[in-house]
Amino acid sequence: MLCSNLYAQEKKSLAYPDEKHFKNMRQLTTGGDNAEAYFGFDNEHITFQRTNPAEGLSCDQIFYGTITKKPSETFKYKKVSTGKGRTTCAYLMPDKKHFLYASTHLAADTCPPTPDRSVIKKYVWPIYNSYDIFVADLNGKITKRLTNTPGYDAEGTVSPKGDKIVFTSMRNGDLDIYTMNIDGTNVQQITNTTGYDGGACFSPDGKKIVWRASRPTTPEEVKEYKDLLLQGLVMPTKMEVFVANADGTDVHQVTKLGKANWAPSFTPDSKHIVFASDYEYERGFPFNLYLIGIDGTGLERISHDGSFDAFPMFSPDGKKFIFSSNRNNNGGHDTNVFVCDWVN
């Protein structure tokens, strides 16, 4: 399945005047929900997940594409997951020939059921116990299964050193961060505090990891968290950003903003973090992007859309910045992938 997008050829500015770090912004996708776009090791290729019922994509599948050097050239991408089940969190491997991702396809060819929030009456995310992490080639052929334990295994990303994978698992009964070798061996647990630890990634120098975490503290909060987890659900409305050494030592909380602070990743200097947050808005929306030092100082808002900006990431060479946004969707609900040059 090969797709293209003519929005990349638009000349109008997609960035707001006060988004001073963004230059030469391009929209890479059009239509549906497109998110978690991550650069490969060569600064040019990306993977992302896409849902679009109009194309027969009733739940997320993984796509792979090349960011062209010339904005006038069309961004083309192809589906590289199996098309079965639901997928998430794809990341290109160091050999530039494979990628890893999580998928539920071994449990069923169809999409797993989504939570009925009208019954639960809370904003929740599903944590499917049928997720496992796989490696596939760029033609979609699965070449290895990296996890094979009961419960949720997903949210994997690769160290810039090319030696380790960090991921989230429920193998010990809670949602914790783990690392493993690039081949799936030597699994090590990194976090062990009650709460949802997820969305981890390495710093560009490979020395640290950053992730989002909920930390229920009162007996009522802990009970609510555990009761939802028994149903395969989490409520992601209270999360903060944490940093630790790559081996799990020296854990410390970076943000203390309240609300939902998530999708963190490092800046090229490994000294700052970019993340999404709704902390400025009482109703929990919109989400904007922010920069902060790993010591929790120097908070700066860097995006301005009045709806949703999230999933930020720098290219390995630090020149490009990619994220997902509701901007330029004619007031609809589509979420698309945008890329721009980064200006310090």
Side-chain angles (χ1 to χ4, degrees):
M1 180 177 180
L2 189 65
C3 308
S4 63
N5 173 31
L6 297 181
Y7 272 74
Q9 299 176 25
E10 288 189 347
K11 293 183 179 180
K12 71 176 183 179
S13 175
L14 297 170
Y16 293 91
D18 60 349
E19 292 177 330
K20 63 183 181 180
H21 294 290
F22 303 160
K23 183 180 179 181
N24 300 323
M25 186 177 290
R26 299 163 58 190
Q27 182 173 339
L28 297 182
T29 63
T30 302
D33 288 316
N34 304 269
E36 298 203 47
Y38 299 130
F39 281 101
F41 283 69
D42 63 2
N43 304 292
E44 296 178 1
H45 293 90
I46 64 169
T47 51
F48 63 98
Q49 58 198 44
R50 176 176 176 86
T51 295
N52 191 351
E55 298 176 1
L57 299 170
S58 53
C59 60
D60 283 333
Q61 293 295 320
I62 305 301
F63 288 76
Y64 167 81
T66 305
I67 298 177
T68 58
K69 290 182 171 59
K70 296 180 180 179
S72 60
E73 295 177 342
T74 300
F75 173 67
K76 296 179 180 180
Y77 52 92
K78 65 177 182 178
K79 181 163 64 68
V80 288
S81 53
T82 63
K84 300 176 181 179
R86 187 185 188 101
T87 67
T88 190
C89 306
Y91 211 91
L92 285 157
M93 298 292 272
D95 66 2
K96 304 175 186 177
K97 298 178 181 179
H98 296 81
F99 69 101
L100 65 78
Y101 70 111
S103 176
T104 66
H105 71 271
L106 292 184
D109 290 354
T110 54
C111 298
T114 56
D116 187 345
R117 295 185 180 123
S118 66
V119 174
I120 301 170
K121 300 188 184 305
K122 298 172 183 175
Y123 180 74
V124 292
W125 287 350
I127 301 295
Y128 298 118
N129 62 12
S130 51
Y131 266 131
D132 273 303
I133 300 175
F134 302 85
V135 174
D137 64 26
L138 298 178
N139 291 316
K141 179 182 178 181
I142 292 176
T143 58
K144 189 164 188 174
R145 181 179 180 181
L146 292 179
T147 62
N148 190 13
T149 56
Y152 180 85
D153 289 296
E155 304 177 35
T157 61
V158 181
S159 169
K161 292 182 177 181
D163 60 339
K164 295 284 186 180
I165 295 167
V166 64
F167 66 105
T168 294
S169 177
M170 256 198 74
R171 63 188 63 200
N172 283 343
D174 194 12
L175 287 162
D176 282 307
I177 301 291
Y178 293 76
T179 61
M180 59 182 164
N181 290 342
I182 199 76
D183 61 359
T185 60
N186 190 31
V187 175
Q188 301 288 329
Q189 186 171 348
I190 295 296
T191 63
N192 56 15
T193 304
T194 299
Y196 176 19
D197 294 273
C201 66
F202 290 92
S203 58
D205 59 16
K207 295 180 179 180
K208 295 184 179 296
I209 57 171
V210 64
W211 72 97
R212 61 173 183 247
S214 67
R215 287 290 180 262
T217 53
T218 67
E220 294 78 14
E221 288 174 341
V222 171
K223 183 179 186 304
E224 181 181 47
Y225 170 74
K226 290 184 175 180
D227 287 349
L228 285 172
L229 205 56
L230 288 173
Q231 302 173 61
L233 303 170
V234 292
M235 191 166 58
T237 51
K238 293 182 180 180
M239 295 189 293
E240 300 288 352
V241 175
F242 286 73
V243 165
N245 293 330
D247 62 1
T249 59
D250 190 27
V251 175
H252 66 275
Q253 185 174 336
V254 176
T255 63
K256 298 177 181 178
L257 300 173
K259 311 291 270 185
N261 305 279
W262 61 295
S265 62
F266 282 94
T267 56
D269 63 6
S270 298
K271 296 178 180 179
H272 299 81
I273 294 159
V274 61
F275 65 101
S277 177
D278 64 347
Y279 90 95
E280 292 189 89
Y281 307 99
E282 183 63 32
R283 66 191 181 105
F285 205 76
F287 280 91
N288 289 123
L289 300 179
Y290 297 82
L291 272 174
I292 195 169
I294 61 172
D295 61 356
T297 63
L299 181 67
E300 176 192 357
R301 190 171 81 173
I302 63 172
S303 81
H304 183 88
D305 190 59
S307 187
F308 179 83
D309 294 320
F311 302 111
M313 182 189 182
F314 288 88
S315 59
D317 63 8
K319 295 179 180 180
K320 298 287 185 182
F321 185 77
I322 200 166
F323 66 104
S324 296
S325 179
N326 288 156
R327 66 185 64 201
N328 198 41
N329 66 3
N330 296 317
H333 298 286
D334 291 349
T335 304
N336 286 296
V337 176
F338 295 78
V339 67
C340 61
D341 298 329
W342 179 260
V343 179
N344 285 319

